[in-house]
Amino acid sequence: MSYVGPDLEPPRPPRRPLRGPLTVAVAALVPGALAGWLVWQAVGDSGGDGSAAQASPSAPANRSPSSGAPDDAKERPDGASGRAGGQSGGDAGDGGEAGPLKGKVVVVDPGHNPGNFRHPSDINRQVDIGTNRKECDTTGTATNDGYTEAEFTLDVSRRLRTLLEKEGATVKFTQDDDRAFGPCVDERARIGNEAAADAVVSVHADGSAAGNRGFHVILPGSVHSGAADTRPIVAPSRDLGERIAGRFLSVTGSPPSNYIGGGTGLDVREDLGGLNLSTVPKVFIECGNMRDTEDSERLTSGAWRQKAARGISEGIVGFLRG
Ligand code: ZN
């Protein structure tokens, strides 16, 4: 395996206790998120306790036929747009289709790069993230069967692009497996800034211990140091992140993380260059834990990844429409 070490995600500093206002805001999210969760369960799109890994040959008949299918399941395109057939019709760099997001720019940042592991010296180079210096990029993690985070993030991001373009948005990627490695985290942030993006989402999956499950959305903490000044984006990024978390929970049925965020599906960090250097609303989403067998069943399912993309897309649409 090229994935040496227990977890090649950036090292995590000790969690600081949630502050008062944050706790209130997080508490406000929970009822809505739980309501979405209950609605999701009520429509019967779940196996048992909502854990997709509970699915078995005796799974309920109303599960999507492609649920649990191997990678790249050929699920139907979401929605009823005339753009069925899989091909997005090319890059909508001209402003996308007519739709509620016409004129809006969304930058999607597929975490890592499939080529990173071939360029260790390049991605280990230190870059300035305002608060300190950090590696240019990392290889990302992988499932125990070798499905890499970099493949995952590109797949979800491409599905997300298709959905957002249907809404009329202009979508730009930081990388589309079209470069040897990277970009570095500072460049990833700069791409969103220079695009004057209305929203930026960085797509990831975590590499935590088995038994740690569920998704979480990472919001920028308030940082003002060197080139980093997140103060103007903290509030709108929280709005964006809460909307994504709520819709992700509702659409995928995946639980909020049981190891970060106290069940809220939200985390705040001040150590990520991609957030610290952003001047536009931006969040990360860790869609699940690749090292956990229950989560990895979801993450390796094309049908589930379509749901993940739809949850993220709906959160972005809600944020941009206000
Ligand atoms: Zn990652």
Side-chain angles (χ1 to χ4, degrees):
M1 294 283 291
S2 306
Y3 299 89
V4 295
D7 174 13
L8 295 166
E9 288 289 339
R12 306 179 64 85
R15 288 271 94 65
R16 291 185 311 144
L18 294 177
R19 290 164 295 180
L22 176 59
T23 306
V24 171
V26 167
L29 170 71
V30 172
L34 288 177
W37 167 244
L38 293 172
V39 167
W40 179 83
Q41 284 204 308
V43 300
D45 198 19
S46 166
D49 63 0
S51 162
Q54 296 298 319
S56 67
S58 62
N62 61 356
R63 285 183 66 82
S64 165
S66 53
S67 267
D71 197 21
D72 297 322
K74 302 295 190 292
E75 70 284 354
R76 288 175 293 106
D78 223 28
S81 160
R83 193 189 271 189
Q87 286 299 93
S88 69
D91 193 340
D94 59 353
E97 301 179 0
L101 299 192
K102 182 139 186 84
K104 299 292 188 183
V105 176
V106 179
V107 168
V108 178
D109 177 35
H112 315 284
N113 178 316
N116 276 359
F117 75 96
R118 282 190 287 266
H119 296 270
S121 59
D122 293 306
I123 67 166
N124 287 333
R125 178 171 70 84
Q126 300 282 301
V127 299
D128 185 352
I129 67 164
T131 50
N132 59 304
R133 297 179 68 79
K134 207 163 175 181
E135 300 81 19
C136 154
D137 204 5
T138 57
T139 60
T141 186
T143 67
N144 293 333
D145 290 335
Y147 178 56
T148 66
E149 183 187 355
E151 292 175 78
F152 171 84
T153 65
L154 276 167
D155 182 87
V156 171
S157 295
R158 288 166 177 163
R159 293 170 190 269
L160 176 58
R161 173 171 56 195
T162 299
L163 294 170
L164 290 169
E165 287 178 352
K166 282 179 185 169
E167 300 292 328
T170 297
V171 181
K172 298 183 178 178
F173 272 29
T174 56
Q175 60 95 10
D176 197 4
D177 197 15
D178 52 359
R179 51 185 292 160
F181 65 91
C184 297
V185 294
D186 56 340
E187 185 181 349
R188 289 177 189 262
R190 196 158 55 242
I191 290 168
N193 298 345
E194 291 180 352
D198 296 287
V200 184
V201 175
S202 188
V203 178
H204 289 258
D206 213 351
S208 188
N212 289 342
R213 300 192 181 107
F215 76 90
H216 65 280
V217 175
I218 304 173
L219 315 175
S222 184
V223 170
H224 184 209
S225 175
D229 185 0
T230 61
R231 294 172 298 176
I233 68 160
V234 165
S237 298
R238 169 167 288 277
D239 184 16
L240 172 65
E242 289 181 348
R243 289 173 186 269
I244 289 175
R247 295 311 303 155
F248 192 89
L249 175 73
S250 183
V251 175
T252 67
S254 286
S257 170
N258 66 1
Y259 61 101
I260 288 173
T264 64
L266 298 173
D267 189 23
V268 177
R269 289 177 64 170
E270 298 174 357
D271 64 316
L272 296 176
L275 293 180
N276 287 1
L277 297 174
S278 185
T279 59
V280 292
K282 181 171 182 178
V283 298
F284 280 42
I285 182 165
E286 298 279 4
C287 295
N289 176 18
M290 301 199 91
R291 296 292 189 176
D292 178 76
T293 52
E294 278 188 29
D295 271 11
S296 68
E297 282 194 34
R298 296 186 177 98
L299 299 165
T300 56
S301 158
W304 187 89
R305 292 196 298 273
Q306 183 66 24
K307 290 181 184 177
R310 188 156 63 85
I312 298 168
S313 174
E314 289 182 8
I316 294 170
V317 170
F319 171 72
L320 293 179
R321 297 190 75 181

